[in-house]
Amino acid sequence: SWPPIPRAGGHCAPEGYKTMSDKVKRLEKLRGKFVVFEGLKGCGKSTIAEFVAKIAKGEGVDVFLTEEPTGGKHGATLREILKGKAHMPSPIELQQIFINDRMEHTSEIRKALLKHQLVICNRYDASTFVHGSIASGHDIFFFITTQESMFRKKDIIYRRPDIVLWLDAEPSIIIERLNARTRGFDTVTTTPEILEAVRRGYEELMKAKPYPILRIDTKDPIPDVVYACWEKILQQFQLQ
């Protein structure tokens, strides 16, 4: 039941809305929008994305909640690799598998958007750009152009996110959280140095501006972060 989920018509019109009817009409603008959550492992992406989706559903918005890697063929391969159950390819080859998974995923996302659903995705291509850059030594633009080329060769139209919420946290906080919830997590790839490099990568991506990226500080309790994300989404689409 946490966090408390508002129900459309079940409470007074919030500040900024003259009537509940006005609120419903304005929230219609969320339909057909594509929202992505990104951030370090352990920042709370899955939990926060799920609860933001619940808030949106509680407001009467039809939501398609999804994630990458997907449950498809390429997504299954990625999960095996990331769990250490399959051979680890080169950094560039790994990101190419992510992009192949994304090309299949794009079809699902487009179908949901055509149904006027609000698409909420846990990870998308920002992770490819940032992690691929760190692992390979290539800059972020190398992976942006790699993805563009792969989509073009398959004649697939890329769907740019309408907004990316970067859930940021200090590496020390991330490691503390991972220690608390996961025994024997990967301490080789989850060092303070690597986590800090990933943070710098997201900062670089914000400057590159491939799409709107908003930083959300996740040092606060999860309920506060969830509602901060919801407020940012409403602000982005001028619903407040």
Side-chain angles (χ1 to χ4, degrees):
S1 60
W2 176 91
I5 307 303
R7 297 292 176 186
H11 50 74
C12 296
E15 185 178 354
Y17 299 107
K18 293 180 181 179
T19 65
M20 282 304 300
S21 176
D22 177 48
K23 176 191 169 193
V24 169
K25 287 178 182 177
R26 293 177 70 179
L27 286 174
E28 284 288 321
K29 294 180 181 179
L30 285 177
R31 300 183 190 280
K33 295 295 190 297
F34 182 20
V35 177
V36 174
F37 287 88
E38 293 278 3
L40 298 172
K41 179 181 180 181
C43 71
K45 289 185 300 299
S46 299
T47 300
I48 292 167
E50 287 172 8
F51 280 114
V52 168
K54 287 184 178 181
I55 291 174
K57 289 177 181 178
E59 294 288 0
V61 179
D62 190 11
V63 177
F64 176 61
L65 180 62
T66 187
E67 66 178 354
E68 291 190 4
T70 70
K73 177 182 69 175
H74 297 293
T77 298
L78 287 166
R79 292 180 192 282
E80 290 296 299
I81 292 171
L82 297 174
K83 290 177 182 178
K85 296 181 178 180
H87 169 70
M88 175 64 75
S90 72
I92 292 177
E93 289 170 337
L94 178 63
Q95 298 310 323
Q96 287 173 337
I97 300 172
F98 271 104
I99 295 170
N100 280 323
D101 186 40
R102 188 165 304 121
M103 287 192 287
E104 292 184 353
H105 194 199
T106 296
S107 174
E108 295 181 21
I109 291 170
R110 284 191 167 279
K111 286 177 184 177
L113 294 173
L114 286 172
K115 293 177 183 176
H116 305 291
Q117 292 178 298
L118 169 64
V119 175
I120 296 179
C121 187
N122 174 9
R123 285 192 183 275
Y124 194 58
D125 57 6
S127 298
T128 289
F129 304 152
V130 172
H131 289 277
S133 174
I134 293 168
S136 69
H138 290 283
D139 64 22
I140 281 174
F141 291 100
F142 172 85
F143 287 98
I144 291 176
T145 55
T146 296
Q147 176 169 270
E148 289 174 350
S149 175
M150 289 178 67
F151 268 73
R152 191 163 50 249
K153 286 179 180 177
K154 293 284 188 178
D155 198 25
I156 297 173
I157 300 173
Y158 167 73
R159 183 50 166 92
R160 174 179 179 269
D162 293 301
I163 180 175
V164 172
L165 297 176
W166 166 31
L167 304 178
D168 188 28
E170 293 286 342
S172 58
I173 294 176
I174 291 294
I175 290 174
E176 182 180 336
R177 289 175 181 172
L178 291 173
N179 272 321
R181 79 182 193 189
T182 311
R183 292 183 179 180
F185 71 91
D186 188 352
T187 56
V188 175
T189 61
T190 318
T191 64
E193 294 77 16
I194 290 176
L195 292 174
E196 189 57 48
V198 174
R199 288 185 81 199
R200 289 196 300 270
Y202 279 111
E203 289 173 352
E204 184 180 344
L205 190 62
M206 283 186 72
K207 294 175 184 176
K209 298 180 180 178
Y211 29 63
I213 302 176
L214 301 179
R215 178 183 175 275
I216 304 289
D217 194 333
T218 62
K219 71 177 184 300
D220 296 323
I222 289 289
D224 293 340
V225 177
V226 168
Y227 286 113
C229 290
W230 180 241
E231 292 294 314
K232 287 291 186 183
I233 291 169
L234 295 181
Q235 290 169 14
Q236 177 67 19
F237 300 121
Q238 300 179 341
L239 301 177
Q240 287 189 321

